[in-house]
Amino acid sequence: MPQIPLLQDLLVLLAAAVPIAFVFNRLRLPVLAGFMATGVLIGPYGLALIHDSHAIEALAEVGVVLLLFTIGLEFSMRRLMGMKRLVFAGGGLQVMLTTAVVAGIALLALGRQPSQSLFFGFLFALSSTAIVLKSYVDRAEVDAPHGRAGVGVLLFQDLSIVPMMLLVPVLGGDDTPASRVVLTLGAAALAVGAIVVTARVLVPRLLHLVVSLRSQEVFILTVVLLVLGTSWLTATAGLSLALGAFIAGMVLSESEYSHQIVADILPFRDVFNSVFFISIGMLLSLGALWSDLWVVLGLVGALVAGKSLLTLLVLRVLGTPLRVAATAGIGLAQVGEFSFILARVGVSDGLLGQADYQRFLAASIISMVATPFLIKLAPSAGYWLHSRLSPATLPDPSVVGFSIEEPDLRGHVIIVGYGLNGRNLSRVLRRTGVKYLVLELNAGAVREAAAWGERIIYGDATRREVLRHARVEQARVVVLAISDPSATRRTLWLVRRMNPDAHIIARTRYMSEVEELRRLGADDVIPEEFETSVEIFARVLREYGVSREDIRSEVEEIRSEGYGMLRETDLTTAPSRVVAAALAGGSTETLGVRPEAAAVGRTIGQLRLRTLTGVTVLAVTRDGRAELNPDADFRVEGGDNLVLFGSPEQIDRAIEVINGENPARPDG
């Protein structure tokens, strides 16, 4: 029986990766780090179980192509413009500053060549989009201020990989003149522009034609063809495969089919990405790591401390509060997955020696494994740093907001957060004449809202001084409407101690936080997960004709018991008697009464619909006016619309009585 080396290597790879990834997942470590550990174990420097490492690297290249393609799908111009200050100003400053600092250290302290020093700066300027985003999603911090700041910087880092990859071959040449660098970049820009223009013209028409076939198989094959074809074109033009994939993603991101494309490509991307991270681990020599252990650990320490500080400084320049800047900086203090791609290209172009390469791999992998722990500790570190540095040392940005000119302000509402919920609440309070103040950390939102008279002030509600400035001791209600779980818990703890009598309402996205928020002192906790469920089931019951009063009773019961019914996993639990009885009755039907119908001119009582058919008349509409729960003396006229409630069979019989056969007439 013939042996297939690649298939055998893939079986070994998957057989080792599954249990290791399982263990990492149970330990709440990043699975990507588990894949790298798998590569270390089975690679040539470990147990040497893989025979054809070049074939595995080829599969890993496909993973990189698909990864850049899906990232390109996320880069719609609308999204970039919505975060343009964080992306272009924050991300641009972070990449340039980190590159410059690392290059300066390599050039002046280590005596490396200028081109090699600049390449080192490229390697350490990037952070891990995959690990950071997954950690933020798991902790529900993507929409938190530090989450938005981190994502903005990551977006620019992902964009910057394109010019970096273009410059690496140029940096690898000896005595490369500046004119050649400009010429290479110019030619690359022209090639990219030609590919983008051609793709924007042809791809929408091609996709429209393919979709009209209504074949999922043809659709997926077309998408893969576009990705690989664009990658091949860029490689033919002297650029990288990954750049072509990124361009294809950018073009398709504006298509109405982009969401379906993501859903179809994600499984392939995840599989090949796993191979990519395993192939990275296969490159690490444990012997080299052990011999340079202290150098590697020192490099990791410098990497974490240096990138945290540089990102903090950049975000502070943009006016981000110190706590948020520190939290985001610590979260981005690792080396990114794209740095591995650059490193491999740098080795082939002579920019990175084997000793430096092994040190870089070891430090990068350790920093990636440490990232989830750093992100978990980051909020506490941010609070500690903010409390230790006085405003005189690092002042908060000066933002013109609402001026509190009411010395006797008391009994007011404090709204923490000016997102969608905060804006809606402030609008209602303003219309009803209830005094309120809004606390917001987004300086731009404060300026914009204050310009048209909103009662909003800039400040971090996790600080006692800010709460005191908002007169929290005299407030009657405090509403926490922010998307930062850590800040919500800390603010709640402070408010409860500063004003034990305040009624505190906390909003959270997840049910898992309800009990902790109640323990910290919240009077009402509103989890968005279950409030959405409540609204859905209320509307479903309304469609089944359940009265508003019964629905309101059910909703109040669910909320009063802390949404216990929605968390109940025992499917044998008896249903509510009110709702069960209502649902057993069937559905509602609106029936138009014809002028010649037998029911015209008769009262509801004379029709005896409940007695003869079991149907109840809930309402009658006539000339645009509604008569709810009409009594027995209400007389039916032609053109009326009767809202009937009952089972489908009962409603069918009632229709026959009303429009068809004459009902039994009472004597007289």
Side-chain angles (χ1 to χ4, degrees):
M1 184 176 181
Q3 296 292 321
I4 307 177
L6 177 58
L7 179 59
Q8 180 178 329
D9 287 344
L10 279 176
L11 288 175
V12 171
L13 185 148
L14 295 174
V18 170
I20 293 178
F22 175 81
V23 171
F24 270 66
N25 187 60
R26 292 301 296 267
L27 295 176
R28 299 194 174 183
L29 296 172
V31 177
L32 298 183
F35 291 143
M36 287 186 280
T38 303
V40 173
L41 178 66
I42 66 177
Y45 301 108
L47 300 178
L49 300 179
I50 300 297
H51 300 90
D52 191 354
S53 58
H54 294 293
I56 298 298
E57 289 177 7
L59 293 177
E61 186 72 21
V62 177
V64 175
V65 166
L66 294 177
L67 177 61
L68 270 169
F69 172 66
T70 52
I71 288 177
L73 285 170
E74 298 293 328
F75 274 89
S76 65
M77 292 305 297
R78 188 187 318 169
R79 180 179 180 186
L80 286 178
M81 291 302 102
M83 302 176 64
K84 57 181 179 293
R85 193 161 184 267
L86 279 172
V87 173
F88 296 108
L93 283 174
Q94 186 273 334
V95 170
M96 288 188 291
L97 183 60
T98 306
T99 301
V101 170
V102 174
I105 293 174
L107 181 66
L108 301 176
L110 303 179
R112 301 302 178 95
Q113 295 296 321
S115 58
Q116 190 179 37
S117 300
L118 183 59
F119 178 71
F120 287 169
F122 288 170
L123 292 179
F124 289 99
L126 305 177
S127 302
S128 175
T129 302
I131 293 180
V132 173
L133 280 183
K134 186 177 188 307
S135 298
Y136 279 159
V137 169
D138 291 344
R139 293 173 53 82
E141 294 179 353
V142 172
D143 294 324
H146 62 272
R148 290 196 300 271
V151 170
V153 173
L154 287 170
L155 285 176
F156 187 87
Q157 290 181 357
D158 290 341
L159 279 175
S160 65
I161 186 66
V162 175
M164 287 180 182
M165 292 180 70
L166 292 175
L167 283 171
V168 168
V170 177
L171 294 175
D174 294 329
D175 301 323
T176 304
S179 58
R180 181 182 170 189
V181 175
V182 174
L183 187 63
T184 301
L185 290 177
L190 287 176
V192 169
I195 293 171
V196 170
V197 171
T198 305
R200 287 177 68 93
V201 173
L202 297 180
V203 168
R205 299 177 182 177
L206 177 61
L207 283 180
H208 182 73
L209 178 63
V210 169
V211 169
S212 65
L213 298 176
R214 300 181 182 275
S215 171
Q216 185 178 12
E217 293 81 2
V218 177
F219 181 78
I220 295 175
L221 285 174
T222 303
V223 171
V224 174
L225 173 64
L226 289 172
V227 177
L228 298 182
T230 310
S231 301
W232 177 79
L233 286 174
T234 55
T236 303
L239 306 174
S240 68
L241 290 169
L243 175 60
F246 181 81
I247 293 173
M250 284 280 287
V251 172
L252 292 174
S253 69
E254 300 179 9
S255 165
E256 58 187 304
Y257 313 114
S258 59
H259 297 293
Q260 183 61 44
I261 293 171
V262 172
D264 291 336
I265 291 297
L266 275 180
F268 299 102
R269 186 203 70 176
D270 292 340
V271 170
F272 284 105
N273 276 355
S274 303
V275 177
F276 168 67
F277 284 102
I278 292 172
S279 70
I280 293 299
M282 291 169 56
L283 301 174
L284 177 64
S285 169
L286 292 177
L289 170 61
W290 183 253
S291 63
D292 280 336
L293 181 61
W294 295 111
V295 175
V296 170
L297 293 180
L299 185 58
V300 172
L303 167 66
V304 172
K307 289 194 73 171
S308 298
L309 180 60
L310 292 175
T311 306
L312 184 154
L313 292 175
V314 166
L315 294 176
R316 285 294 294 162
V317 169
L318 296 181
T320 305
L322 178 60
R323 173 182 65 85
V324 176
T327 305
I330 295 172
L332 300 181
Q334 74 287 133
V335 172
E337 48 272 1
F338 291 124
S339 296
F340 293 122
I341 304 171
L342 283 175
R344 291 169 66 177
V345 176
V347 169
S348 61
D349 288 340
L351 290 170
L352 201 62
Q354 279 300 321
D356 288 335
Y357 184 46
Q358 287 298 325
R359 294 187 189 113
F360 169 76
L361 283 177
S364 301
I365 292 173
I366 292 173
S367 72
M368 288 176 125
V369 173
T371 296
F373 302 102
L374 291 174
I375 288 178
K376 184 176 181 179
L377 295 173
S380 299
Y383 292 127
W384 180 87
L385 188 61
H386 207 162
S387 64
R388 293 299 184 275
L389 296 177
S390 65
T393 305
L394 282 173
D396 281 332
S398 177
V399 182
V400 178
F402 176 75
S403 178
I404 303 177
E405 300 175 352
E406 304 160 78
D408 60 341
L409 180 63
R410 59 181 61 252
H412 57 294
V413 179
I414 296 178
I415 305 171
V416 181
Y418 198 61
L420 178 62
N421 293 313
R423 289 195 300 271
N424 290 338
L425 177 57
S426 67
R427 188 178 298 116
V428 172
L429 295 179
R430 186 167 57 251
R431 293 185 63 178
T432 55
V434 176
K435 288 186 177 181
Y436 68 93
L437 283 174
V438 181
L439 286 175
E440 172 58 45
L441 259 180
N442 187 323
V446 173
R447 293 190 189 95
E448 182 180 345
W452 53 265
E454 180 64 277
R455 297 172 60 92
I456 186 169
I457 59 177
Y458 177 85
D460 187 349
T462 63
R463 300 195 65 184
R464 188 182 297 270
E465 298 82 1
V466 173
L467 292 175
R468 185 172 291 117
H469 179 67
R471 316 281 174 82
V472 72
E473 292 92 343
Q474 288 81 42
R476 181 173 179 178
V477 179
V478 178
V479 180
L480 306 180
I482 52 180
S483 302
D484 187 341
S486 174
T488 297
R489 290 191 292 269
R490 184 174 178 85
T491 304
L492 173 56
W493 183 86
L494 275 175
V495 171
R496 182 52 72 205
R497 275 146 189 79
M498 297 176 71
N499 187 348
D501 299 324
H503 187 90
I504 305 176
I505 302 173
R507 166 251 193 185
T508 178
R509 297 186 65 181
Y510 301 103
M511 189 64 207
S512 58
E513 298 181 4
V514 170
E515 294 303 324
E516 183 177 4
L517 293 177
R518 288 188 181 277
R519 180 178 57 80
L520 290 172
D523 296 287
D524 293 313
V525 181
I526 303 175
E528 291 184 358
E529 277 184 329
F530 283 171
E531 278 300 316
T532 302
S533 301
V534 167
E535 180 62 23
I536 290 173
F537 92 66
R539 296 195 181 199
V540 169
L541 294 182
R542 201 172 300 148
E543 283 297 313
Y544 276 91
V546 179
S547 71
R548 292 181 182 273
E549 187 59 38
D550 288 340
I551 294 175
R552 188 179 301 111
S553 174
E554 290 297 314
V555 170
E556 291 302 322
E557 182 178 349
I558 288 173
R559 287 172 176 161
S560 65
E561 64 183 18
Y563 303 88
M565 187 269 281
L566 297 183
R567 287 182 287 173
E568 180 60 59
T569 57
D570 183 4
L571 299 182
T572 63
T573 302
S576 162
R577 289 194 300 272
V578 174
V579 174
L583 293 179
S587 60
T588 59
E589 181 80 26
T590 301
L591 173 67
V593 180
R594 300 194 304 268
E596 68 275 13
V600 173
R602 306 200 177 276
T603 65
I604 298 293
Q606 290 172 339
L607 291 174
R608 295 190 293 166
L609 291 177
R610 188 187 296 272
T611 302
L612 295 175
T613 67
V615 164
T616 300
V617 180
L618 298 179
V620 179
T621 59
R622 178 184 298 168
D623 299 328
R625 296 188 302 274
E627 177 74 21
L628 301 178
N629 296 318
D631 56 29
D633 296 330
F634 185 89
R635 195 171 299 277
V636 178
E637 296 181 2
D640 286 349
N641 289 303
L642 307 184
V643 181
L644 310 177
F645 175 68
S647 69
E649 295 80 9
Q650 291 171 336
I651 290 176
D652 288 342
R653 291 198 298 271
I655 292 174
E656 293 178 0
V657 170
I658 295 170
N659 276 340
E661 304 295 333
N662 282 328
R665 295 175 178 265
D667 293 335

